[in-house]
Amino acid sequence: MGVGGSFLPLHLGGQGICHMRSASFFVVLLVLATIGKPPWAAAHNFHCKLPRSGEDRPHSVSITEFGAVGDGVTLNTKAFQNAIFYLNSFSDKGGAQLFVPSGKWLTGSFSLISHLTLSLDKDAIIIGSMDPYDWPIIEPLPSYGRGRELAGERHQSLIYGYNLTDVVITGGNGTIDGQGSIWWNWFNSNTLNHTRPHLVELMYSTGLVISNLTFKNSPFWTIHPVYCNYVFIQNITILAPLDSPNTDGIDPDSSTNVCIKDCYISTGDDLIVIKSGWDEYGISFAHPSSNISIKSIFGESKSGAGIAIGSEMSGGVSEVHAEEIHIFNSLHGIQIKTSPGRGGYVRNIYISNVILTNVEYAIRINGRYGEHPDDYYDPYALPDINNITIKDVYGVNISVAGLLEGIEGDIFGEICLSDISLNVTSEDSSWNCSYVEGYSYLVSPNSCQLLQKIPNDSSVCYSPADNLTLYSGGNCSSSSYVTLASL
């Protein structure tokens, strides 16, 4: 079913989605009935095609060949580790595939290798152990200086990779289930010993593809590419209870050339959030997130945002292009989060073609968000927030149109809003702005006075280049990557 000739996410028929399907379609139909045909129906589309990496692995084995038992009870960590150790001998021979057949495969954390495809059957479920000793303790990220939740070390993700090239995690919509409830309980009761693990974390890696899978119940952030280059994520479903703490969907972190498209995400926190390190650690590590494309995202978050940046953005975030975003029953539609002490920058952000339904804050920029890792941060390290364009946004049953709050002595500038129509619940729920400046055009209800200026020349508002190259070869694989043609 298309939206004004456009799309609905391709993955709605996947495992775990059927029970939401009617409600989700109803939301979209309600929006369309209210606002009519979206303006991007005739617009040029940008394309972010799946690279051909990993298509023809000459060697393939099944996890069962290494003694794994798919009964949901037997712990298969050693089987996964042994299988991957064996496949490493084929790394320089075209790579290899590890196949996970139908069954419930309980495991602790295991690490991937380069030139590997991890492929799940449609009825395969990889299940994370509920024993914390099956999730090893590893060093904190250098751009954070400590575990994100607790000082010191952190738990390794269920599926982990470090300094890899050409890795594919895919399947016929099989499932990876982190069984996160025990971790959420420990967090809520303040009994964690270390920062919770992610479901998938890949570090310092290049040429990554994650596609055609369902990810459920992550203990913490679900998919976390950090210090990575050339990352492609498509056709995935991410599910966690709406009250589960900090179960972000996809968190590109200090990573470049990232493409995320055609995803359904329903979690307890931000659906997609771009990060780049925390205060003085992120500033000194200086690994920005840049050249990030997000398209065709559909979902909800009780306490987060559909598309977010920050609050850890101290290494800088730039060149972000997001479009065709459908968010419902959520706290925020679009949010930028930062604070004094963060330093860094958020600039050249372009978000367009957004539908919001039953959202409390349609657009929010918060200059005083989040805590600090320790007492050594510089409170005078102020973030540079500028060149933010948000356009073609349509909302129904919106509590607050916009809350845009910069920092005294640190104006957030060149914020451009255009073609925004929000059906707010009362006259008092329009726009509230402070320490920001920029432009607006065709915004309803009328934007705040600080953004009332209409630009004489639209070029003052940031717009992405006509041909933004995301995948152009590099060291990802022998296959060529493709060009992203933007609006």
Side-chain angles (χ1 to χ4, degrees), residues 390-401:
I390 301 173
K391 61 179 294 189
D392 298 328
V393 179
Y394 295 82
V396 177
N397 196 23
I398 305 300
S399 298
V400 178

Side-chain angles (χ1 to χ4, degrees), residues 140-440:
L141 295 169
S143 59
Y144 286 72
R146 47 160 281 183
R148 182 56 186 84
E149 298 178 298
L150 296 172
E153 298 171 313
R154 62 200 183 103
H155 284 279
Q156 182 172 294
S157 61
L158 184 65
I159 298 175
Y160 180 73
Y162 187 96
N163 197 25
L164 304 181
T165 300
D166 179 25
V167 173
V168 178
I169 303 172
T170 191
N173 194 34
T175 299
I176 299 172
D177 187 343
Q179 295 200 107
S181 60
I182 190 169
W183 300 92
W184 309 332
N185 291 337
W186 289 331
F187 173 83
N188 289 329
S189 62
N190 295 313
T191 54
L192 284 171
N193 293 320
H194 301 281
T195 292
R196 289 174 286 162
H198 308 298
L199 200 53
V200 177
E201 181 179 70
L202 302 171
M203 298 178 59
Y204 297 105
S205 297
T206 299
L208 309 175
V209 175
I210 302 174
S211 66
N212 303 319
L213 290 170
T214 294
F215 297 85
K216 296 174 61 177
N217 302 320
S218 177
F220 194 38
W221 306 343
T222 305
I223 297 175
H224 186 222
V226 56
Y227 322 137
C228 290
N229 193 14
Y230 298 111
V231 179
F232 192 100
I233 300 172
Q234 182 180 22
N235 274 5
I236 67 169
T237 296
I238 298 177
L239 303 173
L242 294 176
D243 61 353
S244 56
N246 310 111
T247 51
D248 297 0
I250 304 171
D251 291 40
D253 196 341
S254 293
S255 292
T256 56
N257 301 315
V258 178
C259 185
I260 303 167
K261 65 179 297 190
D262 301 326
C263 299
Y264 180 96
I265 306 174
S266 176
T267 66
D269 210 332
D270 298 324
L271 307 189
I272 297 174
V273 52
I274 303 165
K275 300 176 178 289
S276 67
W278 198 7
D279 286 9
E280 71 269 26
Y281 303 104
I283 293 171
S284 63
F285 196 65
H287 277 47
S289 283
S290 65
N291 202 11
I292 295 176
S293 166
I294 302 166
K295 183 182 180 184
S296 304
I297 307 300
F298 187 76
E300 62 179 325
S301 170
K302 182 178 179 181
S303 60
I307 303 296
I309 298 173
S311 68
E312 308 88 352
M313 39 60 67
S314 303
V317 175
S318 68
E319 319 308 327
V320 176
H321 179 189
E323 74 164 6
E324 296 181 3
I325 312 298
H326 295 194
I327 306 300
F328 62 96
N329 301 340
S330 298
L331 180 61
H332 298 100
I334 301 161
Q335 186 176 28
I336 297 174
K337 303 175 280 187
T338 186
S339 73
R342 289 289 189 265
Y345 56 84
V346 175
R347 59 181 178 237
N348 297 350
I349 310 298
Y350 185 89
I351 301 173
S352 67
N353 308 332
V354 179
I355 290 179
L356 306 173
T357 305
N358 300 330
V359 171
E360 186 165 348
Y361 297 91
I363 300 169
R364 187 167 187 179
I365 299 177
N366 191 340
R368 294 194 175 272
Y369 183 96
E371 67 281 5
H372 302 283
D374 51 39
D375 294 332
Y376 301 109
Y377 74 95
D378 178 4
Y380 300 103
L382 299 178
D384 177 16
I385 312 297
N386 65 80
N387 278 4
I388 313 294
T389 295
I390 301 173
K391 61 179 294 189
D392 298 328
V393 179
Y394 295 82
V396 177
N397 196 23
I398 305 300
S399 298
V400 178
L403 184 55
L404 312 181
E405 300 170 309
I407 300 170
E408 185 175 5
D410 181 26
I411 302 296
F412 296 176
E414 301 298 324
I415 296 171
C416 290
L417 308 177
S418 68
D419 295 287
I420 296 175
S421 178
L422 303 171
N423 182 347
V424 296
T425 54
S426 74
E427 292 183 0
D428 296 330
S429 20
S430 55
W431 299 85
N432 191 329
C433 304
S434 59
Y435 307 115
V436 297
E437 61 184 20
Y439 312 90
S440 62

Side-chain angles (χ1 to χ4, degrees), residues 20-93:
M20 297 185 227
R21 198 173 188 180
S22 297
S24 300
F25 280 6
F26 174 77
V27 167
V28 174
L29 289 171
L30 174 64
V31 172
L32 293 180
T34 307
I35 65 175
K37 184 176 179 180
W40 63 87
H44 297 292
N45 292 319
F46 70 79
H47 303 285
C48 202
K49 295 181 180 179
L50 186 69
R52 294 188 293 273
S53 173
E55 275 189 358
D56 301 312
R57 305 291 194 199
H59 305 279
S60 180
V61 297
S62 170
I63 192 63
T64 58
E65 298 176 47
F66 297 84
V69 179
D71 59 4
V73 177
T74 303
L75 188 66
N76 296 296
T77 310
K78 286 295 183 185
F80 277 99
Q81 292 171 344
N82 290 340
I84 291 170
F85 179 79
Y86 167 77
L87 293 175
N88 197 39
S89 62
F90 300 103
S91 181
D92 60 350
K93 301 178 180 65

